[in-house]
Amino acid sequence: MTSSKSVARSAPSTVHATSISTATLTVQTSGSGFIDLTREAATFITDVHARDGALTLFIRHTSASLTIQENADPSVLVDLTTVLARLAPDDADAGWTHDTEGPDDMPAHIKTMLTGTSLHVPVLNGKLALGTWQAIYLIEHRARPHRREVVLQFIGGNQ
């Protein structure tokens, strides 16, 4: 049990959501791996003059996903790639029945299910409220390049 002395909360603030701004980010991947979208998300927040609210990111695909992960040590992304490959291997003898687009087809769907298709990031004072070492990544789960679309939507108040 946690003592109430070890938990602190800021004073609540209220924002009247006066705007909804939406854009689509098109990303050309070069095959499996992580692509940092943090700068593009922050630029969108600046461009729509966001003040306080929430940014939702949604990827319109079933074989690529989104995540928030550490951006300081590149070995984190290497290890995450390794664990996803262990959980959903894409070798021909893995036993998957869905292989319409190749042996990495079904494993890509599993990896997307495990990591997710949408993110929600608070926006405070016109900035993404990410932690010091956090970044927003698109994860391409397919071996070959793809054109991916990510919908960005800010809901909140403007400056």
Side-chain angles (χ1 to χ4, degrees), residues 62-63 98 101 104-114 141-142:
T62 60
S63 58
H98 176 71
E101 297 178 42
D104 69 340
D105 196 2
M106 189 61 213
H109 294 302
I110 294 168
K111 292 170 188 175
T112 296
M113 183 180 70
L114 293 171
H141 299 300
R142 300 302 305 274

Side-chain angles (χ1 to χ4, degrees), residues 22-153:
T22 306
T24 301
L25 182 63
T26 302
V27 181
Q28 183 63 49
T29 70
S30 58
S32 63
F34 288 74
I35 299 169
D36 191 340
L37 302 181
T38 311
R39 184 173 306 209
E40 288 79 5
T43 299
F44 171 72
I45 291 302
T46 300
D47 289 350
V48 301
H49 306 287
R51 175 78 180 146
D52 292 321
L55 173 66
T56 299
L57 298 94
F58 176 78
I59 191 161
R60 299 171 60 165
H61 305 278
T62 60
S63 58
S65 59
L66 300 169
T67 192
I68 295 175
Q69 269 301 330
E70 179 177 333
N71 65 356
D73 184 348
S75 68
V76 170
L77 301 181
V78 172
D79 289 342
L80 290 170
T81 300
T82 300
V83 75
L84 287 172
R86 287 180 185 160
L87 291 170
D90 61 5
D91 50 11
D93 60 341
W96 309 120
T97 57
H98 176 71
D99 60 0
T100 305
E101 297 178 42
D104 69 340
D105 196 2
M106 189 61 213
H109 294 302
I110 294 168
K111 292 170 188 175
T112 296
M113 183 180 70
L114 293 171
T115 51
T117 57
S118 67
L119 297 173
H120 181 88
V121 181
V123 176
L124 302 173
N125 297 315
K127 304 286 182 199
L128 297 172
L130 293 170
T132 302
W133 308 115
Q134 289 182 317
I136 300 166
Y137 292 99
L138 180 155
I139 314 171
E140 176 60 68
H141 299 300
R142 300 302 305 274
R144 64 180 177 84
H146 282 79
R147 182 179 163 273
R148 302 300 191 177
E149 292 182 350
V150 178
V151 176
L152 306 172
Q153 188 170 70

Side-chain angles (χ1 to χ4, degrees), residues 15-16 18-21 45 48-52 154 156-159:
V15 173
H16 296 283
T18 56
S19 73
I20 299 174
S21 301
I45 291 302
V48 301
H49 306 287
R51 175 78 180 146
D52 292 321
F154 170 75
N158 295 81
Q159 297 177 5

